Amino acid sequence: MSDIERIGVVGGGLMGSGIAEVCAFAGRDVLVREIDTPMIDATQRRIEKSMTRAAKARDQSEAEVGEALARIGYTTDLKDMADRQLVVEAVIEAEEEKLAVFSDLDKVVVDDTAILASNTSSIPIMKLAMATGRPGQVIGIHFFNPVPRMGLVELVTSLLTNEETESRSAEFATDVLGKQVIRSQDRAGFIVNALLIPYLLSSIRMLESGFATAEHIDVGMVEGCHHPMGPLALTDLIGLDTTLAVAESLYEEFKEPLYAPPPLLSRMVEAGLLGRKSGRGFYTYDAR
Ligand SMILES: NC(=O)c1ccc[n+]([C@@H]2O[C@H](COP(=O)([O-])OP(=O)(O)OC[C@H]3O[C@@H](n4cnc5c(N)ncnc54)[C@H](O)[C@@H]3O)[C@@H](O)[C@H]2O)c1
């Protein structure tokens, strides 16, 4: 059984809050780092709302939710990650930001067997590993959105990830969190996004060209292919900024036109139309 009891999560957005939630429900001590107090408040509200919803679906008591919530601490200071055995980085999909986080984690995390993981969707793990003095302990643990409901984790080892880090990470994801693990080589996009992103970008190109409306594109894939949601609704759920960043990483790695972000996606991100999290993307939503 996994020996990992103290987890750090850096970045408490859509993904970081979900990762904190599943770790706390699994009985682990969790510490979330966000950039300032308002972002901590937003993270805390998101986790409380999601845990309460999940508890109802799983028939858990208020006391169980309270205990899980009490296992999550919050900080703005990365130095507080010193005693963590596993830190999952889930900051925005920007290489510079992630490199800085890994370099800083390397300086503050004391345990020299601690695992430094990234939830990146597309940035090569090797690049993040080389920002540290311990590349053997750096790995990709890629969760899916929404984390409490999605059963998959992609495990991505770099050329330098050591076997202990890989086996302890796999054990944690399966035995502690109950996720199914698939393994991918360290290439931008790994398995799922290398397949998914070209599909999402095609739907945006279809909309942009006036070929069909957003509603008809989405209904086409829901009713015609039995997908749980259409590609534009899914892009709104992922976040248009994240989708754009992942497409840019894929395009930079492979230089294939199918990964090139369509101008409409870039313009919408510039306009702050980020999807559900901003209240408007291809559709409009109640502000969270
Ligand atoms: N959105 C998805 O569907 C999805 C799915 C799988 C993986 N991912 C990946 O997860 C990561 C996070 O994505 P997200 O959707 O949660 O983004 P998000 O924009 O919802 O959250 C990112 C959070 O990181 C915080 N942040 C930025 N810099 C920070 C720092 N230095 N320290 C601490 N916090 C910092 C921001 O304040 C923000 O709250 C990205 O790498 C993304 O590619 C996203």
Side-chain angles (χ1 to χ4, degrees):
M1 197 56 186
S2 177
D3 61 335
I4 300 172
E5 293 292 336
R6 296 181 304 282
I7 323 292
V9 179
V10 183
L14 281 179
M15 296 303 291
S17 54
I19 295 165
E21 173 180 337
V22 295
C23 291
F25 263 137
R28 270 28 187 198
D29 174 311
V30 184
L31 182 64
V32 181
R33 193 255 174 146
E34 256 295 346
I35 46 177
D36 55 26
T37 311
M39 292 308 278
I40 286 183
D41 292 345
T43 302
Q44 210 162 353
R45 278 197 304 275
R46 193 176 308 114
I47 293 176
E48 281 176 20
K49 197 170 154 192
S50 172
M51 274 198 176
T52 309
R53 202 171 36 217
K56 258 189 211 146
R58 289 192 298 221
D59 216 11
Q60 282 168 314
S61 66
E62 266 180 43
E64 282 171 293
V65 174
E67 281 164 25
L69 282 171
R71 285 189 208 107
I72 307 179
Y74 299 89
T75 183
T76 53
D77 190 349
L78 200 76
K79 289 198 192 80
D80 293 336
M81 294 289 163
D83 70 342
R84 301 290 104 179
Q85 298 165 290
L86 163 67
V87 182
V88 184
E89 169 279 310
V91 308
I92 47 169
E93 188 74 350
E95 194 173 312
E96 290 310 311
E97 193 73 33
K98 289 187 190 286
L99 290 175
V101 169
F102 274 84
S103 163
D104 291 346
L105 282 174
D106 187 37
K107 290 181 197 116
V108 304
V109 175
V110 175
D111 179 351
D112 59 13
T113 65
I115 298 169
L116 306 183
S118 177
N119 186 50
T120 178
S121 304
S122 61
I123 297 171
I125 301 306
M126 192 75 264
K127 290 190 182 180
L128 305 177
M130 294 313 283
T132 75
R134 41 178 133 179
Q137 272 111 260
V138 178
I139 192 164
I141 304 183
H142 184 222
F143 291 86
F144 289 80
N145 180 20
V147 181
R149 289 218 301 274
M150 300 296 275
L152 186 71
V153 160
E154 278 180 316
L155 209 61
V156 186
T157 50
S158 82
L159 291 173
L160 299 180
T161 308
N162 64 41
E163 271 175 32
E164 192 191 345
T165 297
E166 180 182 5
S167 58
R168 288 174 76 215
S169 302
E171 191 177 56
F172 184 78
T174 50
D175 297 353
V176 178
L177 302 183
K179 305 291 186 194
Q180 181 167 349
V181 167
I182 57 174
R183 286 178 165 77
S184 161
Q185 282 209 8
D186 187 20
R187 300 285 180 272
F190 317 129
I191 297 172
V192 174
N193 279 314
L195 293 170
L196 175 66
I197 294 293
Y199 160 63
L200 300 183
L201 299 180
S202 297
S203 73
I204 299 169
R205 285 191 200 99
M206 194 177 255
L207 176 71
E208 185 169 33
S209 69
F211 190 89
T213 63
E215 288 77 8
H216 283 193
I217 291 168
D218 278 355
V219 169
M221 295 311 290
V222 171
E223 299 301 329
C225 293
H226 229 288
H227 287 192
M229 68 176 73
L232 297 166
L234 179 56
T235 307
D236 275 356
L237 177 70
I238 293 170
L240 274 65
D241 51 344
T242 303
T243 305
L244 176 64
V246 177
E248 284 170 342
S249 295
L250 281 158
Y251 187 68
E252 188 190 319
E253 176 108 317
F254 299 109
K255 305 289 187 294
E256 298 273 8
L258 81 165
Y259 298 124
L264 176 62
L265 177 61
S266 305
R267 288 305 91 75
M268 289 178 75
V269 172
E270 286 154 11
L273 306 178
L274 307 182
R276 279 193 197 200
K277 65 182 165 188
S278 73
R280 186 175 155 199
F282 297 105
Y283 302 95
T284 49
Y285 304 87
D286 288 339
R288 280 199 291 161

